[in-house]
């Protein structure tokens, strides 16, 4: 299975999903003009990945800001990873936020509550 | 398989429920199963709406705070810019003032030499009076200060016109780029 790499822009996040290592990273800002167009390949990749996932999957999320529709897609990403977890594999979400960004920290906590995935919420020193 | 749009799953669930209602016969078990499915989907939908609304409001707050910071920074930048422009203007005026003084001094020296070398001998020939030559020198000396002021004003006007033209050109360039 191919890895998924999408370079980040001012409006879209950087995506680096590695199927062989099981390390998935999403970082930057997510305010795409067409959220479906941006996230559809990501979800498709995850659907395929769910079938071949190794014993351990780690997703690093380091987002500065995202819009409402992106928040729904992030939830969709976590739902797919919950599927991987339900298949008996280890999944860990590492949620990074800048230390003075209280909103992003609380957002991580909300996702933790609703997704049912194990989270590590990590402050990044500026 | 990824869905065609973000709410596709929810729309499919709704369609299934609608199709169930269209059926002519239902068993009690069918109704129970369908209702259970509907409740589960509804519950999930509420959970999603709750979390998305909460996150959206929170990020809006973050955006507002960032906008406030940006506005403040912009204001500070404008204030600094005004002070900078005032300093630049003062410096330019001082520079022009010095230049005007130099020009006027040079002209005065030139007039003095001309007066000593050519005009005074001619006046002495025409009017053999000491006071006429002295009066001429006095007139030249008196004219130095107003001459300096005039030159200063003229040069400042010219410099401001040039500045204005440059600013208009810059604005035009920016407008063209947009």
């Amino acid at each position: 299975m191919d890895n998924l790499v999408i370079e980040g822009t001012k409006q879209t996040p950087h995506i680096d999903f590695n199927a062989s290592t099981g390390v998935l990273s999403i970082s930057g800002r997510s305010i795409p003009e067409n959220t479906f167009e941006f996230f559809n390949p990501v979800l498709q990749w995850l659907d395929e990945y769910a079938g071949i996932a190794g014993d351990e999957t780690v997703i690093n999320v380091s987002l500065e800001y995202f819009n409402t529709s992106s928040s729904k897609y992030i939830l969709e990403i976590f739902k797919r990873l919950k599927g991987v977890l339900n298949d008996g594999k280890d999944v860990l979400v590492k949620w990074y936020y800048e230390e003075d960004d209280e909103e992003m920290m609380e957002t991580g906590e909300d996702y933790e509550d609703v997704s049912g995935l194990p989270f590590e919420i990590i402050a990044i020193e500026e | 398989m990824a869905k065609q749009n973000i709410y596709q799953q929810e729309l499919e669930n709704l369609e299934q429920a609608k199709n169930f209602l269209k059926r002519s016969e239902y068993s009690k078990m069918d109704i129970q199963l369908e209702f259970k499915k509907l409740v589960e989907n509804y519950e999930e939908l509420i959970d999603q709406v709750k979390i998305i609304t909460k996150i959206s409001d929170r990020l809006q707050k973050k955006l507002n705070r960032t906008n406030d910071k940006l506005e403040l920074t912009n204001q500070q930048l404008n204030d600094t810019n005004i002070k900078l422009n005032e300093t630049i203007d003062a410096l330019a005026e001082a520079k022009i003032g010095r230049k005007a003084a130099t020009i006027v001094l040079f002209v005065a020296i030139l007039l003095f030499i001309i007066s000593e070398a050519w005009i005074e001998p001619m006046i002495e020939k025409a009017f053999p009076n000491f006071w006429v030559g002295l009066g001429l020198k006095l007139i030249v000396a008196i004219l130095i200060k107003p001459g300096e002021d005039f030159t200063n004003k003229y040069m400042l006007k010219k410099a401001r016109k040039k500045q204005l033209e440059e600013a208009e050109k810059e604005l035009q360039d920016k407008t063209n780029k947009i």
Side-chain angles (χ1 to χ4, degrees):
Chain A
M1 181 183 178
D2 287 340
N3 297 330
L4 178 71
V5 178
I6 304 171
E7 288 302 324
T9 68
K10 280 182 183 173
Q11 295 190 321
T12 57
H14 179 76
I15 303 279
D16 188 355
F17 286 4
N18 190 315
S20 47
T21 62
V23 177
L24 323 177
S25 299
I26 174 165
S27 60
R29 196 180 296 171
S30 183
I31 44 169
E33 280 187 26
N34 186 336
T35 329
F36 170 74
E37 204 173 275
F38 181 80
F39 279 101
N40 191 42
V42 177
L43 295 181
Q44 279 180 334
W45 189 93
L46 281 168
D47 285 335
E48 201 182 330
Y49 175 75
I52 60 110
D55 289 339
E56 201 174 291
T57 299
V58 175
I59 179 163
N60 299 303
V61 185
S62 176
L63 289 166
E64 177 197 336
Y65 180 80
F66 49 87
N67 58 12
T68 308
S69 52
S70 295
S71 68
K72 162 84 169 148
Y73 277 106
I74 293 165
L75 200 58
E76 289 292 327
I77 290 172
F78 290 151
K79 270 165 78 177
R80 277 155 176 81
L81 292 174
K82 183 73 191 329
V84 175
L85 187 79
N86 291 341
D87 288 344
K89 315 275 173 62
D90 285 339
V91 177
L92 176 66
V93 181
K94 288 188 176 179
W95 183 273
Y96 294 90
Y97 69 96
E98 284 183 6
E99 62 179 350
D100 63 344
D101 192 349
E102 202 181 312
E103 284 89 3
M104 209 42 93
M105 182 198 74
E106 288 173 356
T107 300
E109 288 170 351
D110 284 339
Y111 275 126
E112 182 179 13
D113 289 344
V114 81
S115 68
L117 290 169
F119 265 62
E120 265 182 35
I121 297 179
I122 305 157
I124 308 166
E125 282 180 33
E126 280 180 270
Chain B
M1 173 93 188
K3 306 299 171 196
Q4 290 304 301
N5 83 49
I6 193 169
Y7 297 109
Q8 192 62 33
Q9 184 64 59
E10 289 79 5
L11 291 170
E12 277 175 18
N13 294 339
L14 179 66
E15 200 56 37
Q16 264 182 18
K18 280 181 177 173
N19 287 337
F20 180 78
L21 280 178
K22 282 178 194 165
R23 279 166 57 176
S24 52
E25 288 177 16
Y26 318 91
S27 71
K28 196 180 168 187
M29 179 69 86
D30 285 345
I31 295 171
Q32 267 187 335
L33 280 175
E34 196 57 36
F35 195 72
K36 186 172 178 274
K37 215 189 315 173
L38 201 63
V39 168
E40 282 170 2
N41 290 335
Y42 193 72
E43 199 172 14
E44 195 188 333
L45 198 63
I46 286 180
D47 284 347
Q48 275 193 25
V49 169
K50 272 159 69 178
I51 180 96
I52 290 169
T53 310
K54 200 171 169 186
I55 288 170
S56 180
D57 283 352
R58 189 181 294 123
L59 292 180
Q60 182 63 48
K61 201 170 110 189
K62 179 179 174 177
L63 197 64
N64 289 345
R65 215 181 46 229
T66 309
N67 274 337
D68 288 346
K69 273 186 198 168
L70 209 63
E71 213 171 289
L72 186 72
T73 311
N74 208 19
Q75 185 59 48
Q76 285 169 342
L77 208 65
N78 276 341
D79 291 347
T80 312
N81 205 23
I82 288 167
K83 279 181 192 163
L84 193 69
N85 276 336
E86 282 170 0
T87 312
I88 289 171
D89 280 352
L91 278 172
E93 278 180 28
K95 197 178 165 187
I96 286 169
R98 281 199 303 275
K99 212 171 169 181
T102 310
I103 290 170
V104 170
L105 189 70
F106 179 75
V107 170
I109 291 169
L110 202 70
L111 280 176
F112 180 76
I113 292 168
I114 292 168
S115 150
E116 282 293 312
W118 291 286
I119 300 173
E120 205 171 294
M122 279 160 62
I123 288 172
E124 275 174 4
K125 257 188 199 172
F127 310 98
N129 187 333
F130 164 77
W131 293 107
V132 176
L134 191 70
L136 187 71
K137 282 175 196 162
L138 197 68
I139 289 167
V140 171
I142 287 169
L143 283 176
I144 286 177
K145 187 60 190 161
E148 187 186 336
D149 290 346
F150 174 78
T151 314
N152 201 7
K153 275 182 193 164
Y154 172 76
M155 287 174 78
L156 268 175
K157 204 172 159 186
K158 210 173 154 186
R160 279 186 184 137
K161 197 178 165 192
K162 196 180 164 191
Q163 257 183 351
L164 198 68
E165 279 170 1
E166 278 173 3
E168 276 173 0
K169 194 173 175 286
E170 201 177 319
L171 191 68
Q172 188 65 44
D173 288 347
K174 277 182 187 169
T175 314
N176 288 343
K177 272 181 195 168
I178 292 165

